[in-house]
Amino acid sequence: AEDPLTITNVYDSPDSFSPDGDSRYDTTAISYSISSPARVTIAITGPGGTAVRTLVDADRTIGWHSETWDGKDDAGAVVPDGLYAYTIDATDAAGNPAAQQTGDVLVDTRPPVSLTVPASGASCRVSRRRSVLLPVPFEPRRPRRVPGERTRSRPRTMSRSP
């Protein structure tokens, strides 16, 4: 008897991507292995379970495969931000299905947070109202003198009169 068809080593990378056309993380790759030649279908569903895209519906050979999703639906439009699920199904030539495999990816087209390094000689202060770092001039602290506390001083040298 033949070994049953299996789908293994399923992962996606990057797990969150931004199909906004800036050439940075515009796609995600869904990777998997199959134990024998099979008809593979990868379906992507949006929040609420609505079908968004049939990424793959094709015959694949035994071994490792990687399919790229560009964040678009079946009509070619970029999907709204949100968490999307994918399912991988495979059926061998005899009609035997593999156990379905699943995963999810996050579409996030918000612009990345921009951080600025303070100029040399400046420090940062956190504003409680906005939670933003603001550069402020750097002033070294002078040690505080506590009343009644003796301060270090240089040892006095006594001079002798001849």
Side-chain angles (χ1 to χ4, degrees):
E2 289 185 27
D3 289 333
L5 174 63
T6 57
I7 306 167
T8 57
N9 303 317
V10 174
Y11 68 94
D12 50 80
S13 179
D15 193 48
S16 96
F17 71 112
S18 60
D20 56 8
D22 67 355
S23 300
R24 295 175 53 201
Y25 304 106
D26 282 340
T27 62
T28 189
I30 299 171
S31 303
Y32 59 96
S33 293
I34 52 176
S35 61
S36 60
R39 181 75 174 188
V40 173
T41 304
I42 298 179
I44 297 175
T45 55
T50 30
V52 171
R53 174 101 180 251
T54 300
L55 187 62
V56 172
D57 186 12
D59 293 330
R60 294 290 186 252
T61 58
I62 186 173
W64 183 83
H65 299 275
S66 183
E67 316 292 353
T68 301
W69 183 37
D70 57 6
K72 294 179 181 175
D73 61 18
D74 280 331
V78 174
V79 298
D81 289 2
L83 187 63
Y84 290 80
Y86 60 86
T87 57
I88 304 175
D89 292 292
T91 306
D92 66 17
N96 302 311
Q100 184 181 73
Q101 299 297 307
T102 62
D104 52 49
V105 293
L106 180 66
V107 172
D108 184 358
T109 57
R110 294 175 296 178
V113 174
S114 178
L115 300 177
T116 305
V117 176
S120 178
S123 63
C124 290
R125 168 180 77 205
V126 175
S127 166
R128 292 178 188 262
R129 287 181 287 189
R130 292 190 181 167
S131 299
V132 207
L133 293 178
L134 303 171
V136 294
F138 176 73
E139 295 177 20
R141 292 187 180 181
R142 294 186 181 128
R144 289 187 181 179
R145 191 164 179 216
V146 178
E149 182 181 84
R150 297 178 78 180
T151 58
R152 286 187 168 176
S153 58
R154 294 185 193 182
R156 292 186 184 178
T157 55
M158 299 179 76
S159 57
R160 293 189 180 174
S161 305

